[in-house]
Amino acid sequence: MNIIEQPISSLHDLEMSLVLFEPEKHLPAIVTNVKDIYTQRFLLRDIPGSEFAMDYLASIVLEAVKRKHRFRTYDCLRVIRSIVRNRKAKQLGTNITHKLFKLYQNFIFSEREEIQWCVSAFLKDQLLISKDIEWLIGNYSRSNHIVNRLLRYPEPTDAIRKWAEQVRSSSQLSDRRSEILGLLLPERYQELQATEDAASLAWAVYYSRSNDSEKEKMLLQLASIETVESVREVALRLNYLTPIKKIISIIKSKG
């Protein structure tokens, strides 16, 4: 009996594995609810970055949330996170990104830290629609994860720059000062150089979305005896030779 059953089991496994190659065709047949996502989680995690799979599974989880069903939240979200991470191209389509953002909204305030980290990974390096960015700005004081999404947004928008300026003018997020300033570079560099601590500004250069040429130029302007340590550290991290040579020259000239 075992001899007969073994090939049947192997055939079943082979047929199930087809979802890894053709998720559009096979995923709806094996997953219809959150329980299925949990049951098949080890197989589903290997789906190679299919936007269809992300959209399909996210829709199932959102429906379960809407209906207030109890389910293995973290395990189901991890499946979606794995598929997102499996994608070779970083940017996702607007529709799927917005759906992932809905999951983010639902779970970013979870009491479980691992769930917060999980849904944060959904949005890493993703461009969001303006409505979703505004939600982040409106709720940044409620979560460090939301602050991180704003500070590390891949292409700072006018809304994010306006938020950064407002935060800069207040006493909030003082421990993230350099990252806040980085969102205002390179456009506001001359103004910030006249008003901000030079060491903080050097690290702002590091965190900014400026290109290499702009960053190196700003570091050169900051290089002085007073900024030796910060400029040196940033230049080394960014692999810039010219600022380090300038610091050496300044030190030598001072004897």
Side-chain angles (χ1 to χ4, degrees), residues 45 73-83 118 122:
R45 287 177 193 172
T73 305
Y74 181 51
D75 291 294
C76 291
L77 293 174
R78 283 182 68 192
V79 169
I80 299 173
R81 181 184 66 183
S82 294
I83 298 172
C118 186
F122 290 173

Side-chain angles (χ1 to χ4, degrees), residues 61-97:
V61 174
L62 286 169
E63 183 63 21
V65 171
K66 179 181 178 181
R67 295 179 178 274
K68 298 183 179 180
H69 291 169
R70 297 185 65 181
F71 61 98
R72 302 274 190 153
T73 305
Y74 181 51
D75 291 294
C76 291
L77 293 174
R78 283 182 68 192
V79 169
I80 299 173
R81 181 184 66 183
S82 294
I83 298 172
V84 171
R85 286 178 169 176
N86 291 343
R87 185 172 174 81
K88 293 181 179 179
K90 287 187 176 181
Q91 289 299 321
L92 299 171
T94 300
N95 290 338
I96 180 57
T97 302

Side-chain angles (χ1 to χ4, degrees), residues 138-151:
N139 290 276
Y140 81 91
S141 61
R142 300 176 62 190
S143 168
N144 284 331
H145 289 285
I146 296 178
V147 171
N148 288 338
R149 291 280 62 81
L150 288 166
L151 293 179

Side-chain angles (χ1 to χ4, degrees), residues 89-107:
K90 287 187 176 181
Q91 289 299 321
L92 299 171
T94 300
N95 290 338
I96 180 57
T97 302
H98 181 59
K99 191 162 289 187
L100 292 175
F101 188 84
K102 288 182 179 179
L103 289 175
Y104 180 89
Q105 284 179 300
N106 275 285
F107 294 107

Side-chain angles (χ1 to χ4, degrees), residues 27-67:
L27 187 57
I30 65 175
V31 175
T32 59
N33 53 49
V34 283
K35 183 179 179 181
D36 291 336
I37 297 177
Y38 175 74
T39 302
Q40 302 297 338
R41 64 192 183 281
F42 297 113
L43 172 65
L44 300 178
R45 287 177 193 172
D46 290 332
I47 293 177
S50 163
E51 288 200 16
F52 170 83
M54 295 177 209
D55 184 274
Y56 183 79
L57 297 176
S59 296
I60 289 177
V61 174
L62 286 169
E63 183 63 21
V65 171
K66 179 181 178 181
R67 295 179 178 274

